[in-house]
Amino acid sequence: MNNILLFSFAPQMMWAQILLLIIGIVVVLKSADWLTNGSVGLATRLGVSQMVIGLTIVAIGTSMPEFFVSLVSAINGTPDLAVGNIVGSNIFNALLIVGVAAAVAPIAILHSTVKKDIPIAVFASILLMGMTLDDQISRIDALILFAAFLAFLWITLRGAKKGAQDEDKPKEVMGTGKALLLILIGLVGLVLGSNVFVDNASALAHSWGISDAVIGLTIVAGGTSLPELATSVVAARKGDSGIAIGNVLGSNVFNILMILGVTGLISPMHIEGITTIDLAVMVLSMVMLWLFSFTKYRIERWEGFVLIAVFLGYISWLVANV
């Protein structure tokens, strides 16, 4: 019975599945954009610092695609797609997104980020790797992850307004009504777009003989990580390093601790297709990001290209072993 999947949004014709897959990506990306804009509009009214906005509001907004895709995947009985989406997204974030953002413009890293925020992201990656050694995420595992997320949120928000006074650039404050409307439309679009995306990605994977784990680590992870890519690259070009690096770090922590925490509490997951190598690359990517951050407290262009090269090497290995 576990092998029988019902694709409520996936038609029989492959061309239609591909078309709906693309439509699903577009809906998810646009919805994430609306949700992020609305969230940042509300956050700006609170007067919190750029780094905190990146670590929390922007990170959570751009991680909503991963949340809904993973949640729907687990409920629909495809846990490999759910976990593969998170592991793949975190690898995309740390290697490709930071790499591309640094290649566009070197990213300045705050001392507090190196000493507190990046270590938390490394810890979350190692914690997930340890929990999946028995090939499952139980409700107890999920509860530990979610409790760790609440602790991360408390640590981040404890000094939320510190540094807000240092912001030189005046920010245009969005109206509360408009911000709430964008958040609502974004959430609805994410739910619908994620369902269409997951159903057709799973259908295509099975018709091509590809496992849920691989499709989750590549197509689904790449599609749901596009909001982070766009946000971080634009922020880097504008010189908003706090948003660029905070978005990635916050998203990676949110993906593991909150998304898998909530998903695992709702539906415990037995994992088969995610390998130790996939998890090791996820941990390695965060450790590399941490080490590069120690060099003059910035990620230089050449370091960005190294991150991109490691990402391309991993994807090549993944494709060669499909």
Side-chain angles (χ1 to χ4, degrees), residues 218-243:
T218 54
I219 296 175
V220 178
T224 56
S225 288
L226 286 178
E228 285 92 339
L229 177 61
T231 302
S232 292
V233 170
V234 169
R237 287 190 64 183
K238 291 180 177 179
D240 298 327
S241 297
I243 292 286

Side-chain angles (χ1 to χ4, degrees), residues 109 114 118 289-299:
I109 310 291
V114 174
I118 300 180
L289 183 56
W290 195 11
L291 292 175
F292 284 164
S293 299
F294 276 106
T295 57
K296 300 178 183 176
Y297 287 95
R298 58 194 277 126
I299 300 177

